[in-house]
mmCIF file of all heavy atoms in Angstrom:
data_model
loop_
_atom_site.group_PDB
_atom_site.id
_atom_site.type_symbol
_atom_site.label_atom_id
_atom_site.label_comp_id
_atom_site.label_asym_id
_atom_site.label_seq_id
_atom_site.Cartn_x
_atom_site.Cartn_y
_atom_site.Cartn_z
ATOM 1 N N MET A 260 21.850 21.524 -11.755
ATOM 2 C CA MET A 260 21.189 20.224 -11.872
ATOM 3 C C MET A 260 21.859 19.236 -10.917
ATOM 4 O O MET A 260 23.081 19.164 -10.845
ATOM 5 C CB MET A 260 21.310 19.727 -13.319
ATOM 6 C CG MET A 260 20.781 18.333 -13.514
ATOM 7 S SD MET A 260 21.037 17.717 -15.186
ATOM 8 C CE MET A 260 19.810 18.632 -16.055
ATOM 9 N N ALA A 261 21.035 18.477 -10.214
ATOM 10 C CA ALA A 261 21.585 17.468 -9.304
ATOM 11 C C ALA A 261 22.257 16.362 -10.107
ATOM 12 O O ALA A 261 21.703 15.861 -11.084
ATOM 13 C CB ALA A 261 20.477 16.890 -8.440
ATOM 14 N N LYS A 262 23.461 15.970 -9.734
ATOM 15 C CA LYS A 262 24.196 14.951 -10.466
ATOM 16 C C LYS A 262 24.151 13.616 -9.731
ATOM 17 O O LYS A 262 23.954 12.575 -10.327
ATOM 18 C CB LYS A 262 25.644 15.412 -10.642
ATOM 19 C CG LYS A 262 26.394 14.695 -11.743
ATOM 20 C CD LYS A 262 27.745 15.310 -11.962
ATOM 21 C CE LYS A 262 28.659 14.812 -10.880
ATOM 22 N NZ LYS A 262 30.033 14.906 -10.998
ATOM 23 N N ASP A 263 24.342 13.632 -8.453
ATOM 24 C CA ASP A 263 24.365 12.409 -7.658
ATOM 25 C C ASP A 263 23.212 12.456 -6.660
ATOM 26 O O ASP A 263 23.331 13.082 -5.620
ATOM 27 C CB ASP A 263 25.698 12.276 -6.927
ATOM 28 C CG ASP A 263 26.860 12.177 -7.901
ATOM 29 O OD1 ASP A 263 26.782 11.345 -8.819
ATOM 30 O OD2 ASP A 263 27.827 12.939 -7.744
ATOM 31 N N VAL A 264 22.125 11.801 -7.005
ATOM 32 C CA VAL A 264 20.953 11.789 -6.126
ATOM 33 C C VAL A 264 21.046 10.585 -5.199
ATOM 34 O O VAL A 264 21.181 9.451 -5.647
ATOM 35 C CB VAL A 264 19.647 11.712 -6.957
ATOM 36 C CG1 VAL A 264 18.440 11.610 -6.041
ATOM 37 C CG2 VAL A 264 19.540 12.924 -7.865
ATOM 38 N N LEU A 265 20.999 10.824 -3.902
ATOM 39 C CA LEU A 265 21.017 9.759 -2.909
ATOM 40 C C LEU A 265 19.605 9.536 -2.396
ATOM 41 O O LEU A 265 18.846 10.488 -2.211
ATOM 42 C CB LEU A 265 21.948 10.126 -1.749
ATOM 43 C CG LEU A 265 23.412 10.316 -2.138
ATOM 44 C CD1 LEU A 265 24.221 10.745 -0.913
ATOM 45 C CD2 LEU A 265 23.986 9.052 -2.738
ATOM 46 N N CYS A 266 19.237 8.283 -2.185
ATOM 47 C CA CYS A 266 17.875 7.945 -1.796
ATOM 48 C C CYS A 266 17.892 6.653 -0.979
ATOM 49 O O CYS A 266 18.652 5.744 -1.296
ATOM 50 C CB CYS A 266 17.032 7.759 -3.060
ATOM 51 S SG CYS A 266 15.349 7.222 -2.693
ATOM 52 N N GLU A 267 17.071 6.583 0.028
ATOM 53 C CA GLU A 267 17.005 5.382 0.878
ATOM 54 C C GLU A 267 15.805 4.500 0.555
ATOM 55 O O GLU A 267 15.569 3.504 1.227
ATOM 56 C CB GLU A 267 16.939 5.784 2.352
ATOM 57 C CG GLU A 267 18.191 6.480 2.834
ATOM 58 C CD GLU A 267 18.146 6.807 4.309
ATOM 59 O OE1 GLU A 267 17.043 6.800 4.888
ATOM 60 O OE2 GLU A 267 19.213 7.077 4.870
ATOM 61 N N VAL A 268 15.029 4.826 -0.475
ATOM 62 C CA VAL A 268 13.801 4.085 -0.790
ATOM 63 C C VAL A 268 14.166 2.861 -1.638
ATOM 64 O O VAL A 268 14.031 2.860 -2.862
ATOM 65 C CB VAL A 268 12.774 4.988 -1.513
ATOM 66 C CG1 VAL A 268 11.458 4.246 -1.716
ATOM 67 C CG2 VAL A 268 12.533 6.261 -0.712
ATOM 68 N N ASN A 269 14.654 1.805 -0.961
ATOM 69 C CA ASN A 269 15.183 0.662 -1.715
ATOM 70 C C ASN A 269 14.112 -0.260 -2.292
ATOM 71 O O ASN A 269 14.435 -1.268 -2.904
ATOM 72 C CB ASN A 269 16.200 -0.115 -0.875
ATOM 73 C CG ASN A 269 15.584 -0.700 0.373
ATOM 74 O OD1 ASN A 269 14.373 -0.630 0.581
ATOM 75 N ND2 ASN A 269 16.416 -1.261 1.225
ATOM 76 N N SER A 270 12.855 0.073 -2.126
ATOM 77 C CA SER A 270 11.781 -0.685 -2.788
ATOM 78 C C SER A 270 11.493 -0.119 -4.179
ATOM 79 O O SER A 270 10.637 -0.629 -4.895
ATOM 80 C CB SER A 270 10.508 -0.662 -1.932
ATOM 81 O OG SER A 270 10.111 0.674 -1.693
ATOM 82 N N CYS A 271 12.205 0.909 -4.588
ATOM 83 C CA CYS A 271 12.001 1.551 -5.895
ATOM 84 C C CYS A 271 12.876 0.868 -6.950
ATOM 85 O O CYS A 271 14.044 0.550 -6.684
ATOM 86 C CB CYS A 271 12.358 3.032 -5.800
ATOM 87 S SG CYS A 271 12.207 3.905 -7.371
ATOM 88 N N VAL A 272 12.348 0.669 -8.147
ATOM 89 C CA VAL A 272 13.090 0.033 -9.234
ATOM 90 C C VAL A 272 14.318 0.856 -9.639
ATOM 91 O O VAL A 272 15.280 0.312 -10.181
ATOM 92 C CB VAL A 272 12.153 -0.225 -10.437
ATOM 93 C CG1 VAL A 272 11.776 1.068 -11.152
ATOM 94 C CG2 VAL A 272 12.749 -1.233 -11.397
ATOM 95 N N HIS A 273 14.324 2.136 -9.374
ATOM 96 C CA HIS A 273 15.453 3.007 -9.736
ATOM 97 C C HIS A 273 16.541 3.060 -8.667
ATOM 98 O O HIS A 273 17.576 3.679 -8.863
ATOM 99 C CB HIS A 273 14.953 4.442 -9.993
ATOM 100 C CG HIS A 273 13.939 4.523 -11.081
ATOM 101 N ND1 HIS A 273 14.232 4.251 -12.392
ATOM 102 C CD2 HIS A 273 12.615 4.807 -11.042
ATOM 103 C CE1 HIS A 273 13.137 4.384 -13.123
ATOM 104 N NE2 HIS A 273 12.147 4.718 -12.323
ATOM 105 N N TRP A 274 16.302 2.395 -7.542
ATOM 106 C CA TRP A 274 17.279 2.424 -6.445
ATOM 107 C C TRP A 274 18.462 1.507 -6.770
ATOM 108 O O TRP A 274 18.280 0.422 -7.308
ATOM 109 C CB TRP A 274 16.607 1.978 -5.138
ATOM 110 C CG TRP A 274 17.490 2.070 -3.941
ATOM 111 C CD1 TRP A 274 17.662 3.154 -3.125
ATOM 112 C CD2 TRP A 274 18.339 1.042 -3.402
ATOM 113 N NE1 TRP A 274 18.547 2.860 -2.119
ATOM 114 C CE2 TRP A 274 18.981 1.565 -2.275
ATOM 115 C CE3 TRP A 274 18.608 -0.274 -3.779
ATOM 116 C CZ2 TRP A 274 19.883 0.837 -1.509
ATOM 117 C CZ3 TRP A 274 19.517 -1.000 -3.020
ATOM 118 C CH2 TRP A 274 20.136 -0.455 -1.894
ATOM 119 N N ALA A 275 19.676 1.953 -6.453
ATOM 120 C CA ALA A 275 20.878 1.152 -6.675
ATOM 121 C C ALA A 275 21.715 1.126 -5.404
ATOM 122 O O ALA A 275 21.504 1.931 -4.488
ATOM 123 C CB ALA A 275 21.675 1.725 -7.834
ATOM 124 N N GLU A 276 22.685 0.222 -5.374
ATOM 125 C CA GLU A 276 23.552 0.075 -4.200
ATOM 126 C C GLU A 276 24.125 1.410 -3.760
ATOM 127 O O GLU A 276 24.300 2.322 -4.563
ATOM 128 C CB GLU A 276 24.708 -0.891 -4.523
ATOM 129 C CG GLU A 276 24.264 -2.328 -4.760
ATOM 130 C CD GLU A 276 23.596 -2.945 -3.536
ATOM 131 O OE1 GLU A 276 24.055 -2.713 -2.408
ATOM 132 O OE2 GLU A 276 22.591 -3.661 -3.722
ATOM 133 N N GLU A 277 24.424 1.491 -2.476
ATOM 134 C CA GLU A 277 24.992 2.699 -1.840
ATOM 135 C C GLU A 277 24.032 3.880 -1.914
ATOM 136 O O GLU A 277 24.445 5.036 -1.997
ATOM 137 C CB GLU A 277 26.354 3.057 -2.433
ATOM 138 C CG GLU A 277 27.376 1.937 -2.270
ATOM 139 C CD GLU A 277 28.713 2.255 -2.882
ATOM 140 O OE1 GLU A 277 28.852 3.287 -3.563
ATOM 141 O OE2 GLU A 277 29.630 1.441 -2.666
ATOM 142 N N ASN A 278 22.720 3.564 -1.912
ATOM 143 C CA ASN A 278 21.679 4.597 -1.889
ATOM 144 C C ASN A 278 21.750 5.555 -3.079
ATOM 145 O O ASN A 278 21.482 6.756 -2.951
ATOM 146 C CB ASN A 278 21.701 5.392 -0.578
ATOM 147 C CG ASN A 278 21.180 4.564 0.579
ATOM 148 O OD1 ASN A 278 20.466 3.574 0.373
ATOM 149 N ND2 ASN A 278 21.523 4.950 1.783
ATOM 150 N N LYS A 279 22.129 5.016 -4.256
ATOM 151 C CA LYS A 279 22.151 5.840 -5.460
ATOM 152 C C LYS A 279 20.808 5.726 -6.183
ATOM 153 O O LYS A 279 20.190 4.666 -6.193
ATOM 154 C CB LYS A 279 23.267 5.365 -6.413
ATOM 155 C CG LYS A 279 24.653 5.375 -5.802
ATOM 156 C CD LYS A 279 25.242 6.752 -5.842
ATOM 157 C CE LYS A 279 26.601 6.839 -5.174
ATOM 158 N NZ LYS A 279 27.641 6.102 -5.839
ATOM 159 N N CYS A 280 20.375 6.801 -6.818
ATOM 160 C CA CYS A 280 19.199 6.778 -7.677
ATOM 161 C C CYS A 280 19.696 6.707 -9.118
ATOM 162 O O CYS A 280 20.477 7.564 -9.548
ATOM 163 C CB CYS A 280 18.368 8.047 -7.479
ATOM 164 S SG CYS A 280 17.031 8.187 -8.693
ATOM 165 N N ASN A 281 19.256 5.695 -9.888
ATOM 166 C CA ASN A 281 19.750 5.566 -11.266
ATOM 167 C C ASN A 281 18.721 5.994 -12.309
ATOM 168 O O ASN A 281 18.879 5.686 -13.488
ATOM 169 C CB ASN A 281 20.287 4.150 -11.529
ATOM 170 C CG ASN A 281 19.220 3.086 -11.430
ATOM 171 O OD1 ASN A 281 18.031 3.410 -11.441
ATOM 172 N ND2 ASN A 281 19.606 1.824 -11.331
ATOM 173 N N ALA A 282 17.679 6.703 -11.896
ATOM 174 C CA ALA A 282 16.708 7.231 -12.863
ATOM 175 C C ALA A 282 17.373 8.321 -13.714
ATOM 176 O O ALA A 282 18.282 9.014 -13.254
ATOM 177 C CB ALA A 282 15.507 7.809 -12.122
ATOM 178 N N ASP A 283 16.942 8.457 -14.974
ATOM 179 C CA ASP A 283 17.482 9.505 -15.849
ATOM 180 C C ASP A 283 17.157 10.888 -15.303
ATOM 181 O O ASP A 283 17.931 11.835 -15.434
ATOM 182 C CB ASP A 283 16.910 9.379 -17.261
ATOM 183 C CG ASP A 283 17.438 8.146 -17.971
ATOM 184 O OD1 ASP A 283 18.506 7.634 -17.572
ATOM 185 O OD2 ASP A 283 16.777 7.696 -18.925
ATOM 186 N N SER A 284 15.983 11.014 -14.733
ATOM 187 C CA SER A 284 15.579 12.275 -14.112
ATOM 188 C C SER A 284 14.592 11.920 -13.010
ATOM 189 O O SER A 284 14.014 10.825 -13.017
ATOM 190 C CB SER A 284 14.936 13.217 -15.127
ATOM 191 O OG SER A 284 13.764 12.635 -15.657
ATOM 192 N N ILE A 285 14.409 12.791 -12.081
ATOM 193 C CA ILE A 285 13.442 12.534 -11.012
ATOM 194 C C ILE A 285 12.479 13.710 -10.914
ATOM 195 O O ILE A 285 12.804 14.841 -11.291
ATOM 196 C CB ILE A 285 14.120 12.277 -9.649
ATOM 197 C CG1 ILE A 285 14.988 13.453 -9.217
ATOM 198 C CG2 ILE A 285 14.926 10.992 -9.664
ATOM 199 C CD1 ILE A 285 15.491 13.321 -7.794
ATOM 200 N N TYR A 286 11.306 13.411 -10.413
ATOM 201 C CA TYR A 286 10.236 14.391 -10.321
ATOM 202 C C TYR A 286 9.752 14.404 -8.876
ATOM 203 O O TYR A 286 9.237 13.399 -8.378
ATOM 204 C CB TYR A 286 9.116 13.982 -11.275
ATOM 205 C CG TYR A 286 7.868 14.826 -11.285
ATOM 206 C CD1 TYR A 286 7.890 16.169 -10.944
ATOM 207 C CD2 TYR A 286 6.653 14.271 -11.670
ATOM 208 C CE1 TYR A 286 6.731 16.928 -10.967
ATOM 209 C CE2 TYR A 286 5.495 15.018 -11.705
ATOM 210 C CZ TYR A 286 5.543 16.352 -11.350
ATOM 211 O OH TYR A 286 4.397 17.095 -11.382
ATOM 212 N N ILE A 287 9.944 15.506 -8.197
ATOM 213 C CA ILE A 287 9.570 15.640 -6.790
ATOM 214 C C ILE A 287 8.396 16.595 -6.672
ATOM 215 O O ILE A 287 8.374 17.641 -7.321
ATOM 216 C CB ILE A 287 10.750 16.202 -5.958
ATOM 217 C CG1 ILE A 287 12.044 15.431 -6.208
ATOM 218 C CG2 ILE A 287 10.398 16.230 -4.475
ATOM 219 C CD1 ILE A 287 12.019 13.999 -5.788
ATOM 220 N N VAL A 288 7.430 16.208 -5.874
ATOM 221 C CA VAL A 288 6.252 17.061 -5.682
ATOM 222 C C VAL A 288 6.018 17.308 -4.206
ATOM 223 O O VAL A 288 6.483 16.566 -3.351
ATOM 224 C CB VAL A 288 4.986 16.402 -6.285
ATOM 225 C CG1 VAL A 288 5.129 16.249 -7.781
ATOM 226 C CG2 VAL A 288 4.682 15.087 -5.623
ATOM 227 N N SER A 289 5.284 18.341 -3.931
ATOM 228 C CA SER A 289 4.818 18.608 -2.574
ATOM 229 C C SER A 289 3.574 17.762 -2.342
ATOM 230 O O SER A 289 2.708 17.680 -3.203
ATOM 231 C CB SER A 289 4.472 20.085 -2.445
ATOM 232 O OG SER A 289 3.782 20.315 -1.235
ATOM 233 N N HIS A 290 3.465 17.089 -1.209
ATOM 234 C CA HIS A 290 2.257 16.312 -0.956
ATOM 235 C C HIS A 290 1.295 17.032 -0.025
ATOM 236 O O HIS A 290 0.272 16.489 0.359
ATOM 237 C CB HIS A 290 2.565 14.894 -0.484
ATOM 238 C CG HIS A 290 3.217 14.790 0.857
ATOM 239 N ND1 HIS A 290 2.591 15.073 2.033
ATOM 240 C CD2 HIS A 290 4.474 14.404 1.181
ATOM 241 C CE1 HIS A 290 3.414 14.862 3.036
ATOM 242 N NE2 HIS A 290 4.570 14.476 2.551
ATOM 243 N N SER A 291 1.648 18.239 0.358
ATOM 244 C CA SER A 291 0.673 19.026 1.114
ATOM 245 C C SER A 291 -0.015 19.948 0.120
ATOM 246 O O SER A 291 0.486 20.218 -0.958
ATOM 247 C CB SER A 291 1.360 19.833 2.212
ATOM 248 O OG SER A 291 2.128 20.852 1.663
ATOM 249 N N SER A 292 -1.189 20.419 0.469
ATOM 250 C CA SER A 292 -1.931 21.277 -0.457
ATOM 251 C C SER A 292 -1.315 22.678 -0.515
ATOM 252 O O SER A 292 -1.622 23.456 -1.408
ATOM 253 C CB SER A 292 -3.396 21.358 -0.040
ATOM 254 O OG SER A 292 -3.482 21.792 1.295
ATOM 255 N N GLN A 293 -0.445 22.972 0.431
ATOM 256 C CA GLN A 293 0.197 24.272 0.439
ATOM 257 C C GLN A 293 1.668 24.117 0.044
ATOM 258 O O GLN A 293 2.171 23.007 -0.070
ATOM 259 C CB GLN A 293 0.105 24.891 1.838
ATOM 260 C CG GLN A 293 -1.343 25.102 2.266
ATOM 261 C CD GLN A 293 -1.438 25.698 3.653
ATOM 262 O OE1 GLN A 293 -0.465 25.672 4.402
ATOM 263 N NE2 GLN A 293 -2.596 26.230 3.978
ATOM 264 N N GLU A 294 2.343 25.229 -0.152
ATOM 265 C CA GLU A 294 3.756 25.212 -0.488
ATOM 266 C C GLU A 294 4.529 24.480 0.608
ATOM 267 O O GLU A 294 4.314 24.736 1.797
ATOM 268 C CB GLU A 294 4.227 26.665 -0.599
ATOM 269 C CG GLU A 294 5.552 26.828 -1.280
ATOM 270 C CD GLU A 294 5.821 28.298 -1.543
ATOM 271 O OE1 GLU A 294 5.066 28.907 -2.324
ATOM 272 O OE2 GLU A 294 6.758 28.835 -0.935
ATOM 273 N N ALA A 295 5.414 23.579 0.217
ATOM 274 C CA ALA A 295 6.185 22.824 1.202
ATOM 275 C C ALA A 295 7.116 23.746 1.982
ATOM 276 O O ALA A 295 7.738 24.645 1.419
ATOM 277 C CB ALA A 295 6.994 21.742 0.495
ATOM 278 N N SER A 296 7.204 23.514 3.274
ATOM 279 C CA SER A 296 8.121 24.311 4.096
ATOM 280 C C SER A 296 9.154 23.422 4.783
ATOM 281 O O SER A 296 10.050 23.905 5.461
ATOM 282 C CB SER A 296 7.346 25.121 5.135
ATOM 283 O OG SER A 296 6.598 24.259 5.962
ATOM 284 N N LYS A 297 9.031 22.079 4.628
ATOM 285 C CA LYS A 297 10.038 21.172 5.159
ATOM 286 C C LYS A 297 10.065 19.913 4.307
ATOM 287 O O LYS A 297 9.091 19.593 3.607
ATOM 288 C CB LYS A 297 9.778 20.844 6.625
ATOM 289 C CG LYS A 297 8.392 20.352 6.917
ATOM 290 C CD LYS A 297 8.131 20.298 8.417
ATOM 291 C CE LYS A 297 6.684 19.949 8.661
ATOM 292 N NZ LYS A 297 6.269 20.151 10.022
ATOM 293 N N SER A 298 11.183 19.180 4.352
ATOM 294 C CA SER A 298 11.360 18.045 3.446
ATOM 295 C C SER A 298 10.294 16.972 3.648
ATOM 296 O O SER A 298 9.935 16.274 2.702
ATOM 297 C CB SER A 298 12.760 17.451 3.601
ATOM 298 O OG SER A 298 12.929 16.964 4.917
ATOM 299 N N ALA A 299 9.764 16.827 4.857
ATOM 300 C CA ALA A 299 8.745 15.807 5.120
ATOM 301 C C ALA A 299 7.470 16.060 4.322
ATOM 302 O O ALA A 299 6.620 15.180 4.230
ATOM 303 C CB ALA A 299 8.433 15.764 6.613
ATOM 304 N N GLU A 300 7.333 17.234 3.726
ATOM 305 C CA GLU A 300 6.136 17.563 2.951
ATOM 306 C C GLU A 300 6.339 17.358 1.454
ATOM 307 O O GLU A 300 5.551 17.833 0.649
ATOM 308 C CB GLU A 300 5.726 19.016 3.225
ATOM 309 C CG GLU A 300 5.295 19.228 4.661
ATOM 310 C CD GLU A 300 5.033 20.673 4.987
ATOM 311 O OE1 GLU A 300 5.452 21.565 4.223
ATOM 312 O OE2 GLU A 300 4.413 20.915 6.030
ATOM 313 N N THR A 301 7.395 16.615 1.084
ATOM 314 C CA THR A 301 7.678 16.370 -0.328
ATOM 315 C C THR A 301 7.746 14.869 -0.609
ATOM 316 O O THR A 301 7.993 14.078 0.289
ATOM 317 C CB THR A 301 9.005 17.022 -0.767
ATOM 318 O OG1 THR A 301 10.074 16.404 -0.083
ATOM 319 C CG2 THR A 301 9.003 18.515 -0.506
ATOM 320 N N ASP A 302 7.535 14.463 -1.872
ATOM 321 C CA ASP A 302 7.576 13.062 -2.297
ATOM 322 C C ASP A 302 8.211 12.949 -3.679
ATOM 323 O O ASP A 302 8.091 13.858 -4.492
ATOM 324 C CB ASP A 302 6.159 12.503 -2.438
ATOM 325 C CG ASP A 302 5.465 12.316 -1.111
ATOM 326 O OD1 ASP A 302 6.060 11.728 -0.209
ATOM 327 O OD2 ASP A 302 4.326 12.774 -0.988
ATOM 328 N N CYS A 303 8.816 11.767 -3.953
ATOM 329 C CA CYS A 303 9.356 11.514 -5.283
ATOM 330 C C CYS A 303 8.293 10.846 -6.141
ATOM 331 O O CYS A 303 7.852 9.746 -5.861
ATOM 332 C CB CYS A 303 10.575 10.606 -5.190
ATOM 333 S SG CYS A 303 11.263 10.241 -6.817
ATOM 334 N N LYS A 304 7.870 11.494 -7.221
ATOM 335 C CA LYS A 304 6.855 10.964 -8.130
ATOM 336 C C LYS A 304 7.440 9.988 -9.133
ATOM 337 O O LYS A 304 6.712 9.318 -9.853
ATOM 338 C CB LYS A 304 6.192 12.111 -8.913
ATOM 339 C CG LYS A 304 5.020 12.740 -8.217
ATOM 340 C CD LYS A 304 3.846 11.815 -8.219
ATOM 341 C CE LYS A 304 2.585 12.514 -8.664
ATOM 342 N NZ LYS A 304 1.397 11.698 -8.449
ATOM 343 N N THR A 305 8.775 9.895 -9.193
ATOM 344 C CA THR A 305 9.429 8.967 -10.115
ATOM 345 C C THR A 305 9.477 7.557 -9.526
ATOM 346 O O THR A 305 9.762 6.597 -10.233
ATOM 347 C CB THR A 305 10.853 9.473 -10.418
ATOM 348 O OG1 THR A 305 10.761 10.840 -10.812
ATOM 349 C CG2 THR A 305 11.508 8.708 -11.556
ATOM 350 N N PHE A 306 9.153 7.407 -8.254
ATOM 351 C CA PHE A 306 9.169 6.114 -7.584
ATOM 352 C C PHE A 306 8.359 5.081 -8.380
ATOM 353 O O PHE A 306 7.256 5.352 -8.828
ATOM 354 C CB PHE A 306 8.566 6.233 -6.179
ATOM 355 C CG PHE A 306 8.313 4.898 -5.535
ATOM 356 C CD1 PHE A 306 9.308 4.257 -4.850
ATOM 357 C CD2 PHE A 306 7.073 4.279 -5.649
ATOM 358 C CE1 PHE A 306 9.089 3.010 -4.265
ATOM 359 C CE2 PHE A 306 6.840 3.032 -5.071
ATOM 360 C CZ PHE A 306 7.860 2.403 -4.376
ATOM 361 N N GLU A 307 8.947 3.898 -8.588
ATOM 362 C CA GLU A 307 8.238 2.746 -9.163
ATOM 363 C C GLU A 307 8.646 1.535 -8.337
ATOM 364 O O GLU A 307 9.842 1.299 -8.122
ATOM 365 C CB GLU A 307 8.669 2.477 -10.603
ATOM 366 C CG GLU A 307 8.221 3.500 -11.605
ATOM 367 C CD GLU A 307 8.733 3.117 -12.994
ATOM 368 O OE1 GLU A 307 8.135 2.214 -13.614
ATOM 369 O OE2 GLU A 307 9.742 3.680 -13.419
ATOM 370 N N VAL A 308 7.683 0.776 -7.874
ATOM 371 C CA VAL A 308 8.003 -0.389 -7.052
ATOM 372 C C VAL A 308 8.805 -1.405 -7.857
ATOM 373 O O VAL A 308 8.601 -1.534 -9.067
ATOM 374 C CB VAL A 308 6.710 -1.005 -6.451
ATOM 375 C CG1 VAL A 308 5.883 -1.702 -7.503
ATOM 376 C CG2 VAL A 308 7.056 -1.934 -5.294
ATOM 377 N N LYS A 309 9.730 -2.066 -7.202
ATOM 378 C CA LYS A 309 10.558 -3.091 -7.866
ATOM 379 C C LYS A 309 9.700 -4.260 -8.319
ATOM 380 O O LYS A 309 8.798 -4.655 -7.622
ATOM 381 C CB LYS A 309 11.617 -3.628 -6.908
ATOM 382 C CG LYS A 309 12.806 -2.748 -6.777
ATOM 383 C CD LYS A 309 13.818 -3.439 -5.877
ATOM 384 C CE LYS A 309 14.980 -2.519 -5.566
ATOM 385 N NZ LYS A 309 15.848 -3.068 -4.508
HETATM 386 S S1 SF4 B 605 13.206 7.508 -8.416
HETATM 387 FE FE1 SF4 B 605 12.841 8.568 -6.471
HETATM 388 S S2 SF4 B 605 12.298 6.964 -4.995
HETATM 389 FE FE2 SF4 B 605 13.232 5.979 -6.769
HETATM 390 S S3 SF4 B 605 15.401 5.753 -6.221
HETATM 391 FE FE3 SF4 B 605 15.176 7.660 -7.369
HETATM 392 S S4 SF4 B 605 14.892 9.273 -5.824
HETATM 393 FE FE4 SF4 B 605 14.502 7.271 -4.854
#
């Protein structure tokens, strides 16, 4: 299980200083219709705008 999640999406309500994610858990999905083969094809579904 990931313990220290780093994230640069500072418009998210779960974002904290030093690029830390303070959500209890995060949910990542593939945004392509096929299986993701690179990180650019994934998104965080836990994102909530500040
Ligand atoms: S919930 Fe997702 S987008 Fe928001 S800070 Fe955490 S990892 Fe980043």
Side-chain angles (χ1 to χ4, degrees):
M260 174 184 286
K262 199 173 79 163
D263 298 310
V264 176
L265 298 177
C266 176
E267 295 183 343
V268 185
N269 62 6
S270 57
C271 178
V272 72
H273 301 294
W274 184 88
E276 293 298 320
E277 301 178 353
N278 288 339
K279 302 279 177 66
C280 172
N281 64 15
D283 290 339
S284 62
I285 58 171
Y286 177 27
I287 310 296
V288 296
S289 169
H290 67 70
S291 70
S292 55
Q293 299 179 344
E294 195 171 296
S296 59
K297 52 191 174 192
S298 62
E300 295 174 344
T301 65
D302 289 311
C303 179
K304 273 288 228 190
T305 309
F306 169 86
E307 290 179 78
V308 72
K309 280 184 187 170

